[in-house]
Amino acid sequence: MVALLMIIVTMEQNVSNQPYTSSWSHFQTSIQLVRDNLEPIIILSLLPALLTQLGSVLVTKHNDTGYLLSLVGGIWTFINMPAIVVLQLRGARNKATTVNEAYTQGFRHIWQVLGTLLLSGVLILLGFICLIVPGLMLLRRYALAPYYVVDKKMDVGQAMKRSWEDSNHAAGYIWGTIGVVLVISICSSILGAILGFVPGASAIIASILSLAAFFLLPLRYIEVSRHAKAAATSSN
């Protein structure tokens, strides 16, 4: 984990002349934003995840109810994705958002957001299956695509193309953001392993701790899209 932290710092130092915030500063901001938006985050993100994990625990206990809970939790999580993107964008801009507002605005882009997530997810998965490096590169290229759909009112193709292009201007910082998310996941897994004697503890702890990184990608998206727009304006 120490090596991973050093890699993150090195990637961002190599592009320190660019006007971007460090991923660790964004992480601190994300924690504060989670505190400010805790209620909608719990309803839109945490509860579906916990329901899915509860179902998984029951399945291991040979309880057929677990399959139903896992299915409901998975569908709930999937349907909530557009609303989560709306909440992330508004929260990252310090705008309060209710659950109802997130659903209302998110459903306007539901097919575009879900389509972007599915298509980019398939491409990234294929990249990892073929070779690990292409998968990692596609992950960095498409990590911000859902935010373009909601924020710029783009369709799937436009959002993925813009994410591909704009991510080049802050490649090191996007890697840093992904690295911080990975560190949080590793820490969650370690803590979950320590409490492994409790059924479902590992997955539940991971779901809760991952909330600390809830605003990392939208914070990075806002910077990347703003600087890309400024660069395009100045070139004209």
Side-chain angles (χ1 to χ4, degrees):
M1 193 182 321
V2 174
L4 181 57
L5 293 174
M6 292 178 65
I7 291 173
I8 294 171
V9 172
T10 300
M11 285 188 299
E12 296 191 341
Q13 284 179 341
N14 287 340
V15 288
S16 59
N17 60 319
Q18 298 188 40
Y20 296 101
T21 306
S22 74
S23 295
W24 289 115
S25 295
H26 272 174
F27 179 56
Q28 296 172 2
T29 303
S30 179
I31 292 175
Q32 183 58 52
L33 290 173
V34 169
R35 293 171 181 167
D36 296 338
N37 298 273
L38 192 57
E39 180 181 341
I41 290 175
I42 289 175
I43 295 173
L44 294 175
S45 181
L46 184 59
L47 289 183
L50 293 179
L51 182 63
T52 304
Q53 300 306 330
L54 175 60
S56 299
V57 172
L58 291 178
V59 168
T60 62
K61 300 296 182 181
H62 306 289
N63 188 326
D64 292 340
T65 305
Y67 294 103
L68 176 60
L69 292 180
S70 296
L71 178 62
V72 172
I75 294 174
W76 189 10
T77 299
F78 193 64
I79 292 176
N80 278 5
M81 291 309 301
I84 288 174
V85 173
V86 170
L87 175 61
Q88 288 177 318
L89 284 171
R90 289 180 60 84
R93 291 179 169 128
N94 293 308
K95 296 180 180 179
T97 305
T98 66
V99 173
N100 184 57
E101 289 172 338
Y103 274 128
T104 300
Q105 296 184 34
F107 281 158
R108 296 172 185 168
H109 312 281
I110 185 168
W111 299 118
Q112 293 90 340
V113 171
L114 296 182
T116 300
L117 290 171
L118 285 173
L119 181 56
S120 60
V122 169
L123 291 174
I124 292 168
L125 179 60
L126 290 175
F128 278 113
I129 291 175
C130 296
L131 289 170
I132 294 178
V133 173
L136 289 173
M137 295 305 298
L138 290 173
L139 175 61
R140 193 264 293 174
R141 294 277 195 173
Y142 293 137
L144 306 180
Y147 303 106
Y148 284 96
V149 171
V150 174
D151 195 40
K152 306 296 185 182
K153 310 295 188 297
M154 294 181 173
D155 60 29
V156 175
Q158 291 172 329
M160 294 181 67
K161 180 181 179 182
R162 181 68 67 83
S163 179
W164 180 284
E165 295 171 349
D166 290 354
S167 64
N168 281 332
H169 303 298
Y173 283 95
I174 295 176
W175 280 126
T177 299
I178 294 173
V180 172
V181 174
L182 181 58
V183 168
I184 295 172
S185 299
I186 293 174
C187 292
S188 302
S189 299
I190 293 174
L191 186 56
I194 294 175
L195 300 175
F197 60 90
V198 180
S202 178
I204 292 173
I205 290 172
S207 297
I208 295 174
L209 292 184
S210 64
L211 294 181
F214 189 80
F215 288 100
L216 279 178
L217 282 175
L219 285 168
R220 183 63 68 206
Y221 159 77
I222 290 171
E223 279 195 343
V224 170
S225 61
R226 182 174 65 243
H227 290 302
K229 181 179 180 180
T233 302
S234 63
S235 63
N236 293 332

